[in-house]
Amino acid sequence: MDSETTPTSFLPAHTCWELLRDSAYGRLALCVDGHPEIFPINAQVDHGTLVFRTAEGSKQREAEGAPIAFEADGLMDDGSQAWSVVVKGHASTIQRTAELMSTIHLPLHPWEPGRKDRFMRIVPTSITGRSFDVVPAPPQQGVPVASDE
């Protein structure tokens, strides 16, 4: 199969949001000290935005009000199609008590131990998504395995 027989499909915004609602995690991309960084996070859709928890630190500081991107991906249905959704926008710490109380119910459980008492909201300026058929990898015989050394 080549790219002409398995084209990439562009997903409508409502499908992107549906996929994000079912996604357990994604990656937050932002600049830290002038260099791109990517952080794995678990985020939840909340009224056309994304909410995530973090600790006070570089991720929270550098994301505050800055342009960011969030990307999640996965497999659809029987695993024969892959998808990727990218949300671009700005993040800000949720500070108002009423807004904070309305996000407490979201299933945002930190993966690492420690205090993660900062709730942040990503307000999108754009959302894009793509899907494509997954091509099975050919069998590999006698091919050396890459090592990390």
Side-chain angles (χ1 to χ4, degrees), residues 1 11 26 34 45 47 69 77 85 88 90 97 100 110 121-122 124 137 142:
M1 294 184 149
L11 303 172
V45 172
H47 303 289
D77 304 322
V85 172
K88 294 178 183 175
H90 293 83
T97 303
L100 186 57
R121 183 177 306 279
I122 299 171

Side-chain angles (χ1 to χ4, degrees), residues 52-86:
F52 67 97
R53 286 175 67 173
T54 189
E56 186 173 338
S58 61
K59 185 185 342 170
Q60 186 257 335
R61 252 189 331 273
E62 299 297 333
E64 188 72 43
I68 58 87
F70 173 82
E71 189 267 346
D73 51 37
L75 296 174
M76 292 181 174
D77 304 322
D78 64 355
S80 65
Q81 272 200 320
W83 61 268
S84 173
V85 172
V86 175

Side-chain angles (χ1 to χ4, degrees), residues 2-148:
D2 60 34
S3 62
E4 290 186 26
T5 60
T6 59
T8 298
S9 297
F10 294 95
L11 303 172
H14 71 275
T15 301
C16 293
W17 285 112
E18 287 173 13
L19 291 167
L20 289 176
R21 278 186 199 91
D22 293 336
S23 179
Y25 56 89
R27 288 154 294 285
L28 178 70
L30 52 92
C31 282
V32 175
D33 297 327
H35 300 283
E37 294 287 342
I38 298 175
F39 298 91
I41 62 171
N42 55 338
Q44 290 290 312
V45 172
D46 185 45
H47 303 289
T49 67
L50 292 166
V51 175
F52 67 97
R53 286 175 67 173
T54 189
E56 186 173 338
S58 61
K59 185 185 342 170
Q60 186 257 335
R61 252 189 331 273
E62 299 297 333
E64 188 72 43
I68 58 87
F70 173 82
E71 189 267 346
D73 51 37
L75 296 174
M76 292 181 174
D77 304 322
D78 64 355
S80 65
Q81 272 200 320
W83 61 268
S84 173
V85 172
V86 175
V87 175
K88 294 178 183 175
H90 293 83
S92 61
T93 303
I94 298 172
Q95 296 182 1
R96 292 182 27 230
T97 303
E99 186 179 0
L100 186 57
M101 295 306 289
S102 74
T103 60
I104 293 293
H105 73 282
L106 296 172
L108 290 168
H109 307 289
W111 293 345
E112 336 179 71
R115 291 182 60 179
K116 306 287 185 194
D117 54 2
R118 303 281 184 194
F119 284 72
M120 296 194 76
R121 183 177 306 279
I122 299 171
V123 177
T125 55
S126 71
I127 183 168
T128 58
R130 299 171 182 208
S131 68
F132 54 90
D133 292 338
V134 174
V135 178
Q140 304 221 347
Q141 299 174 353
V143 176
V145 176
S147 71
D148 62 349

